[in-house]
Amino acid sequence: IKLKPNGVFLSNGPGDPAATGKYAIPIIKDLIKSNLPIFGICLGHQILAIALGADTFKLKFGHRGINHPVKNIGENNIEITSQNHGFAVALNSLPKNVISTHLNLNDNTSAGIECKELQAFSVQYHPESSPGPHDSFYLFKKFIGMMDA
């Protein structure tokens, strides 16, 4: 039996996203070309951004713990998030076809991106941990909707 995926979830993980350059980034670039819906979280956000052409950088202290305020730019509201990472996506390096969707209000770093033409989006924080507790549930609904379409 051959199964055809209807979406790709890029999960969180530790470390420097640039260290995945030899294996994960080329695979993600190929997945992007397949036009499958892609949803990235934390490290998944960073490596998706790199695969789309953006850069990342090491944060001085990192973002650790719960109750980090993040602005959802499109909805103009604030979400309470949980975070645990030491790197961030450089907003000034985003390609023209990638938009910033979320902003960390503690230091104005990237907390989310989207490339609508490629059905790819991601967030820097951990929506699965539900610190809001339902602030970020819409992200999973969005991804499921993309896969169903």
Side-chain angles (χ1 to χ4, degrees), residues 85-104:
H85 57 273
F87 293 83
V89 173
L91 286 169
N92 63 353
S93 72
L94 292 178
K96 290 182 181 185
N97 65 337
V98 178
I99 61 166
S100 175
T101 58
H102 296 76
L103 193 63
N104 185 308

Side-chain angles (χ1 to χ4, degrees), residues 10 28 32 38 43-52 120-122:
L10 304 173
I28 294 167
I32 289 168
I38 299 174
L43 181 65
H45 163 72
Q46 297 163 6
I47 60 178
L48 176 62
I50 292 170
L52 289 168
F121 72 102
S122 60

Side-chain angles (χ1 to χ4, degrees), residues 22-33:
K22 290 184 180 178
Y23 60 97
I25 304 301
I27 292 169
I28 294 167
K29 285 181 179 181
D30 285 343
L31 289 169
I32 289 168
K33 292 176 192 172

Side-chain angles (χ1 to χ4, degrees), residues 65-80:
I66 60 172
N67 297 331
H68 286 255
V70 165
K71 181 175 183 177
N72 178 325
I73 297 168
E75 297 296 320
N76 197 32
N77 61 21
I78 309 303
E79 300 170 16
I80 301 303

Side-chain angles (χ1 to χ4, degrees), residues 96-116:
K96 290 182 181 185
N97 65 337
V98 178
I99 61 166
S100 175
T101 58
H102 296 76
L103 193 63
N104 185 308
L105 294 179
N106 288 333
D107 62 4
N108 293 318
T109 56
S110 173
I113 60 170
E114 182 171 11
C115 183
K116 287 188 181 188

Side-chain angles (χ1 to χ4, degrees), residues 3-15:
L3 297 176
K4 183 178 185 253
N6 58 349
V8 177
F9 184 80
L10 304 173
S11 69
N12 53 313

